[in-house]
Amino acid sequence: MSAPRKKAWQMAYDGGVQALRELVARKGARTLLKREEMGSAGWSAFHNAAARGHLSVLEYLWEESGVGPQVAQMVSDWGSTPLMSAAYYGHLHVVEWLLADERRCPKEMVRAVSYDRDFYPHFTALHYAAYRGSVAIVQLLATRFPELAPMVDKEGKTAAQVARD
């Protein structure tokens, strides 16, 4: 008996561009948008590639898969965006790539707030970067999007206050 096939999110997490290509060739690009191809919290292949810093996977999903805009703008079950994932894990190169084209990360996604009740409540990408001490990402986001600086989380803290805690 063979091992079960990896899901698209697992392929992206592992940096498996070739595996994703084969999946799309076999099942079609729309399979990347199906719930069963996502992680338990609704993280898409794009979220996982952003979280792991796999720019080659992101580029494949955006440029070649045929569902780039749809998969890039998916939001997880608790409001997480691929930008938040990259900011949290400190992948400046991914944050820069996402922000280089507004179609990959529209302004409403930059201003998005996660809404998980228990874990990092109501954080923006700037909050996540500040929490993790990703100074370069904090500087980039605060400079390009100054409207993020006064935004507060569920506890009433700005990203600067989160960074100090």
Side-chain angles (χ1 to χ4, degrees):
M1 183 169 163
S2 64
R5 176 185 68 78
K6 284 186 175 184
K7 303 291 186 188
W9 74 266
Q10 294 166 309
M11 295 173 192
Y13 184 88
D14 293 341
V17 174
Q18 188 56 39
L20 285 165
R21 276 192 180 100
E22 291 168 8
L23 174 66
V24 168
R26 220 175 31 255
K27 296 196 169 227
R30 305 276 317 157
T31 197
L32 296 172
L33 305 176
K34 293 180 180 176
R35 179 62 192 206
E36 61 265 18
E37 293 297 330
M38 296 179 200
S40 61
W43 270 34
S44 68
F46 213 80
H47 281 89
N48 280 282
R52 296 286 288 181
H54 295 310
L55 191 55
S56 61
V57 172
L58 292 168
E59 289 171 338
Y60 164 72
L61 291 169
W62 178 257
E63 297 167 6
E64 297 177 44
S65 74
V67 291
Q70 296 97 319
V71 77
Q73 295 178 23
M74 293 177 94
V75 176
S76 76
D77 294 347
W78 39 275
S80 174
T81 66
L83 178 65
M84 290 176 190
S85 301
Y88 181 84
Y89 288 102
H91 298 298
L92 177 62
H93 66 292
V94 171
V95 171
E96 290 172 331
W97 182 82
L98 288 168
L99 296 177
D101 184 336
E102 192 173 329
R103 295 172 302 157
R104 291 190 286 246
C105 189
K107 286 186 180 173
E108 61 269 13
M109 290 187 76
V110 173
R111 295 184 189 109
V113 176
S114 66
Y115 43 81
D116 183 346
R117 295 180 308 277
D118 303 318
F119 190 68
Y120 306 125
H122 299 201
F123 270 20
T124 64
L126 181 62
H127 281 89
Y128 282 112
Y131 176 78
R132 293 293 293 245
S134 299
V135 176
I137 296 173
V138 167
Q139 290 172 336
L140 173 64
L141 291 172
T143 301
R144 295 239 345 240
F145 305 98
E147 68 273 18
L148 294 178
M151 292 178 73
V152 295
D153 66 9
K154 190 175 181 180
E155 296 175 4
K157 294 180 181 180
T158 65
Q161 291 167 319
V162 167
R164 285 193 291 266
D165 286 352

